């Protein structure tokens, strides 16, 4: 009887313990839910405060990993084509691991599944999904997976990827709900950061335009202004290389006037044809032209490799079709960087057009100043002719008449000598008047243009177009006689390549430092045989000797011939 009473006492006690345990569990769950909601709110506030886009993306990834207790997290930004990832931000993988794994994923496999179907995706085991392609070598093992899209103004910006929930647990519906909520907040934060970035970008373009306009209106040289345009465009767009090409007078070619940045030296002085080139296309069409990868673009002019390590590029005309194109700015980013988008190229185009307007205004101002100078020269010439010469002539006539009346021989001789001096003075003044009134006629074609013409004439015979590079004040510092020899030597050298070298490529480099001109002609042909004729080479050497210069040639072991012809540009 006693044992029955004890059992009745213990039964309520057991039920009470169970109820207390259940209550404790629910309290713990409520506390956990409260803490998680609190963490979610903190994460939303945290990502919303960041205005720098890169920092905002990094904060979103870190918050996602903490909220769902994942070991690894990543945010993939979808590229302009909507099919591949253009950027990838990770948490949980060290820099050493990333270096061993290799390039970031482009959006295949499970990542591509989320790009194609932007809906939350939760998996217990990644490898069991049909879209799974496995992992590259050195990649850490990953099983559980949770992915959700991030939308910015109804457009999918990218995806959040979470793997390996800590403790070996699975991602559940609550994890998915929390991550989806964070993704909404992330979309707002990204939109704000992008708007802030765009406003700052516009401000930088406006400052650059104001700086260029101020320099032009202050009388800065056009070469300095072109450099400023290239530098500001490179800095604002994050390009590694900026090249400015301008039209060559008297030819259908463009010459690289300046280049700054990575590998700039290989571009300076290059002569590029308008037809079939990336820069030429922007020049002819007067529009922005882009390239996904400049190293593999067929529109890049042949010649020595000069885009190593570079990728996306954009060519922007300086000016408009109605007003005339003054040149083209080529901007190239490092390989693997994002492509130039319309949001970037549009302000860049406006910047280049406004710079061209400022250049046009500066040119008109210089023309007005030159006209004023010419008018002043006309006035001076007219005054000299109408006043000075007439008075000198009248004075000479008076002295000449008076000389006949002077009986003293020495005095008479002095008067006649003064008359002769006045005649010489009149001749000098007339020569000065002629110089003042002479207008520059059609200028002779410069050496640069003559070199380009020679190359264009020989190209059909060669079967290919040689690359041309020219540096220095070739049209200014090189005398016409020397220029004639340069053209003859170049023509002879290219003809020899066409006849004997069996070459597939040739390079012409013309440089001057104001003291010496150097012409280098290089090909990849069979070289010059040891027992071959030397008549043509002797002719070239004799031309160099006539001008006080010298010539040398070399046939490297790996083939080809290099001819170097150098002469002083001022006679000794």
């Amino acid at each position: 009887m006693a044992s029955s009473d004890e059992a009745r006492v213990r039964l309520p006690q057991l039920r009470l313990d169970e109820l207390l345990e259940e209550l404790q569990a629910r309290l713990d769950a409520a506390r956990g839910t409260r803490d998680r909601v609190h963490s979610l709110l903190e994460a939303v506030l945290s990502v919303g405060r960041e205005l720098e886009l890169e920092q905002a993306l990094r904060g979103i990834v870190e918050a996602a990993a903490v909220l769902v207790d994942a070991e690894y997290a990543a945010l993939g930004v979808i590229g302009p084509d909507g099919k591949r990832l253009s950027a990838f931000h990770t948490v949980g993988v060290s820099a050493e691991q990333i270096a061993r794994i290799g390039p970031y994923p482009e959006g295949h496999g499970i990542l591509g599944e989320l790009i194609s179907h932007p809906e939350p995706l939760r998996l217990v085991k990644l490898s069991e999904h049909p879209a799974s392609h496995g992992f590259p070598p050195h990649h850490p093992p990953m099983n559980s997976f949770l992915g959700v899209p991030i939308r910015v103004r109804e457009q999918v910006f990218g995806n959040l990827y979470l793997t390996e929930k800590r403790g070996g647990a699975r991602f559940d519906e609550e994890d998915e709900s929390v991550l989806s909520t964070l993704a909404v907040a992330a979309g707002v934060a990204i939109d704000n950061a992008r708007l802030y970035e765009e406003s700052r970008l516009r401000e930088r373009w406006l400052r650059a335009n104001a700086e260029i306009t101020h320099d032009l209106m202050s009388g800065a040289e056009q070469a300095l202004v072109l450099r400023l345009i290239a530098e500001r465009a490179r800095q604002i767009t994050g390009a590694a290389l900026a090249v400015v090409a301008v039209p060559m007078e008297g030819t259908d070619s463009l010459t690289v006037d300046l280049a700054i940045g990575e590998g700039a030296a290989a571009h300076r002085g290059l002569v590029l044809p308008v037809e079939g080139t990336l820069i030429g296309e922007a020049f002819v069409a007067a529009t922005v032209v882009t390239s996904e990868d400049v190293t593999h673009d067929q529109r890049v002019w042949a010649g020595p490799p000069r885009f190593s390590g570079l990728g996306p590029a954009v060519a922007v005309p300086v000016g408009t079709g109605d007003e005339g194109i003054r040149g083209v700015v080529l901007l190239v980013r490092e390989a693997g960087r994002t492509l130039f988008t319309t949001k970037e190229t549009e302000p860049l185009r406006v910047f280049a057009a406004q710079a061209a307007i400022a250049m046009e205004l500066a040119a008109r101002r210089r023309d007005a100043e030159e006209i004023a100078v010419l008018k002043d020269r006309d006035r001076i010439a007219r005054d000299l002719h109408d006043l000075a010469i007439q008075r000198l002539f009248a004075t000479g006539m008076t002295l000449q008449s008076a000389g006949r009346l002077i009986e003293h021989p020495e005095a008479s001789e002095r008067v006649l000598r003064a008359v002769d001096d006045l005649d010489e003075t009149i001749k000098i003044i007339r020569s000065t008047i002629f110089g003042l009134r002479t207008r520059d006629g059609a200028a002779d074609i410069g050496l640069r243009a003559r070199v380009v013409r020679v190359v264009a004439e020989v190209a059909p015979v060669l079967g290919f177009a040689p690359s041309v590079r020219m540096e220095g004040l070739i049209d200014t510092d090189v005398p016409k006689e020397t220029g004639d020899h340069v053209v003859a030597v170049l023509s002879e050298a290219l003809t020899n390549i066409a006849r004997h070298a069996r070459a597939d490529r040739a390079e012409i480099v013309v440089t001057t430092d104001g003291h010496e001109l150097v012409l280098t002609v290089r090909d990849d042909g069979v070289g010059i045989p040891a027992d071959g004729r030397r008549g043509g080479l002797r002719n070239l050497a004799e031309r160099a000797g006539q001008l006080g210069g010298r010539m040398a040639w070399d046939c490297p072991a790996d083939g080809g011939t290099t001819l170097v012809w150098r002469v002083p540009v001022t006679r000794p």
Side-chain angles (χ1 to χ4, degrees):
M1 190 69 177
S3 61
S4 177
D5 292 338
E6 290 175 2
R8 281 196 297 272
V9 172
R10 283 197 300 272
L11 185 59
Q13 183 68 38
L14 289 173
R15 288 178 179 173
L16 181 60
D17 290 342
E18 291 175 358
L19 290 172
L20 288 173
E21 288 177 3
E22 182 179 353
L23 179 60
Q24 184 64 44
R26 292 190 177 186
L27 286 173
D28 291 340
R31 190 179 297 109
T33 301
R34 183 201 64 187
D35 293 342
R36 197 164 196 184
V37 170
H38 182 69
S39 299
L40 177 60
L41 290 174
E42 283 187 345
V44 169
L45 292 174
S46 176
V47 300
R49 281 194 297 265
E50 188 57 62
L51 289 177
E52 294 287 345
L53 183 58
E54 292 298 314
Q55 293 299 324
L57 297 178
R58 181 74 183 178
I60 291 167
V61 179
E62 292 173 347
V66 171
L67 284 174
V68 299
D69 202 22
E71 187 172 352
Y72 305 107
L75 191 157
V77 180
I78 300 175
D81 59 1
K83 299 177 182 179
R84 293 180 296 178
L85 298 176
S86 61
F88 208 72
H89 304 264
T90 62
V91 168
V93 184
S94 65
E96 292 78 8
Q97 287 177 301
I98 293 172
R100 288 198 302 269
I101 294 170
Y104 282 119
E106 294 185 353
H108 304 294
I110 297 295
L111 305 188
E113 182 72 15
L114 263 173
I115 295 174
S116 303
H117 305 91
E119 298 293 337
L121 178 63
R122 183 158 41 96
L123 302 173
V124 176
K125 197 170 184 61
L126 271 167
S127 58
E128 294 179 354
H129 193 278
S132 177
H133 287 178
F135 298 107
H138 309 294
H139 197 285
M142 295 180 180
N143 292 299
S144 56
F145 175 85
L146 175 60
V148 296
I150 297 176
R151 288 181 168 84
V152 177
R153 299 191 182 189
E154 304 304 321
Q155 297 292 324
V156 179
F157 172 83
N159 296 302
L160 275 171
Y161 310 108
L162 287 302
T163 60
E164 290 299 286
K165 189 173 177 68
R166 298 184 187 276
R170 301 177 179 180
F171 292 110
D172 54 24
E173 291 183 3
E174 188 176 339
D175 292 326
E176 182 180 321
S177 177
V178 167
L179 199 60
S180 296
T181 304
L182 178 65
V184 173
V188 176
I190 291 169
D191 191 31
N192 289 337
R194 287 166 71 176
L195 290 173
Y196 176 70
E197 190 176 75
E198 288 174 8
S199 66
R200 288 181 61 193
L201 190 61
R202 281 194 296 271
E203 182 183 356
R204 295 182 69 185
W205 283 124
L206 289 172
R207 281 204 306 267
N209 265 319
E211 185 179 4
I212 290 166
T213 303
H214 176 268
D215 283 4
L216 279 168
M217 294 299 103
S218 299
E221 293 292 333
Q222 180 166 311
L224 297 176
V225 175
L226 285 175
R227 172 171 286 277
L228 184 60
I229 291 172
E231 286 178 345
R232 294 296 176 266
R234 186 173 74 96
Q235 292 168 0
I236 294 174
T237 61
L241 171 68
V243 172
V244 177
V246 296
M248 287 185 65
E249 189 174 354
T251 71
D252 293 330
S253 302
L254 301 167
T255 180
V256 176
D257 207 36
L258 67 91
I260 53 176
E262 189 172 328
H267 296 266
R268 296 190 186 107
L270 276 175
V271 177
L272 308 172
V274 171
E275 295 295 330
T277 61
L278 184 68
I279 290 178
E281 185 177 335
F283 180 79
V284 173
T287 187
V288 175
V289 179
T290 59
S291 173
E292 292 186 4
D293 186 359
V294 74
T295 57
H296 298 95
D297 197 317
Q298 295 181 349
R299 296 171 295 177
V300 172
W301 181 235
R306 55 190 184 276
F307 289 107
S308 178
L310 301 178
V314 60
V316 184
V318 180
T320 62
D322 297 334
E323 301 166 356
I325 306 301
R326 293 182 170 269
V328 177
V329 178
L330 176 70
L331 300 171
V332 191
R333 284 177 174 154
E334 294 176 345
R337 293 284 304 278
T338 57
L339 305 180
F340 286 92
T341 63
T342 304
K343 286 187 177 180
E344 290 180 296
T345 58
E346 183 57 26
L348 181 58
R349 184 192 63 78
V350 174
F351 166 72
Q354 290 177 342
I357 292 172
M359 292 169 69
E360 180 68 20
L361 290 173
R364 296 291 175 87
R365 188 195 63 187
R366 287 193 297 270
D367 289 344
E369 291 173 352
E370 185 176 349
I371 289 172
V373 171
L374 292 174
K375 286 182 177 179
D376 200 38
R377 288 170 62 179
D378 280 342
R379 181 188 58 77
I380 294 171
R382 187 170 58 251
D383 289 347
L384 285 173
H385 182 271
D386 296 344
L387 300 176
I389 286 183
Q390 299 302 326
R391 299 188 70 171
L392 287 172
F393 186 74
T395 303
M397 292 290 290
T398 301
L399 288 174
Q400 192 173 16
S401 299
R404 298 191 186 98
L405 303 176
I406 300 175
E407 295 180 357
H408 194 283
E410 186 176 346
S412 177
E413 184 182 350
R414 288 186 178 184
V415 170
L416 291 176
R417 192 182 306 130
V419 171
D420 291 338
D421 290 342
L422 285 174
D423 287 340
E424 288 299 320
T425 303
I426 290 171
K427 289 179 182 179
I428 293 171
I429 294 175
R430 281 177 173 165
S431 177
T432 303
I433 292 171
F434 179 78
L436 287 170
R437 286 180 169 173
T438 298
R439 297 292 185 266
D440 294 332
D444 293 334
I445 184 171
L447 180 56
R448 284 176 176 267
R450 295 174 70 189
V451 168
V452 173
R453 285 189 178 182
V454 169
V455 174
E457 289 170 358
V458 180
V461 181
L462 288 169
F464 60 88
S467 68
V468 183
R469 182 159 58 89
M470 290 182 272
E471 294 184 21
L473 301 176
I474 294 172
D475 288 340
T476 303
D477 290 343
V478 182
K480 186 179 186 304
E481 180 188 357
T482 305
D484 294 340
H485 282 283
V486 171
V487 171
V489 169
L490 177 59
S491 180
E492 176 73 16
L494 291 176
T495 302
N496 287 339
I497 293 174
R499 289 175 177 172
H500 310 296
R502 299 200 295 275
D504 296 318
R505 192 176 71 185
E507 179 186 3
I508 295 98
V509 181
V510 184
T511 63
T512 182
D513 59 0
H515 303 287
E516 184 182 52
L517 178 138
V518 181
L519 167 64
T520 305
V521 182
R522 187 179 295 111
D523 68 72
D524 64 349
V526 297
I528 301 175
D531 57 350
R533 297 176 60 186
R534 299 289 188 271
L537 292 174
R538 278 196 298 272
N539 292 336
L540 303 185
E542 288 175 1
R543 284 183 178 273
Q546 292 173 16
L547 299 173
R550 62 191 186 278
M551 187 199 76
W553 55 271
D554 180 44
C555 294
D558 56 352
T561 303
T562 299
L563 182 147
V564 180
W565 190 87
R566 57 178 71 232
V567 294
V569 295
T570 53
R571 300 302 295 269

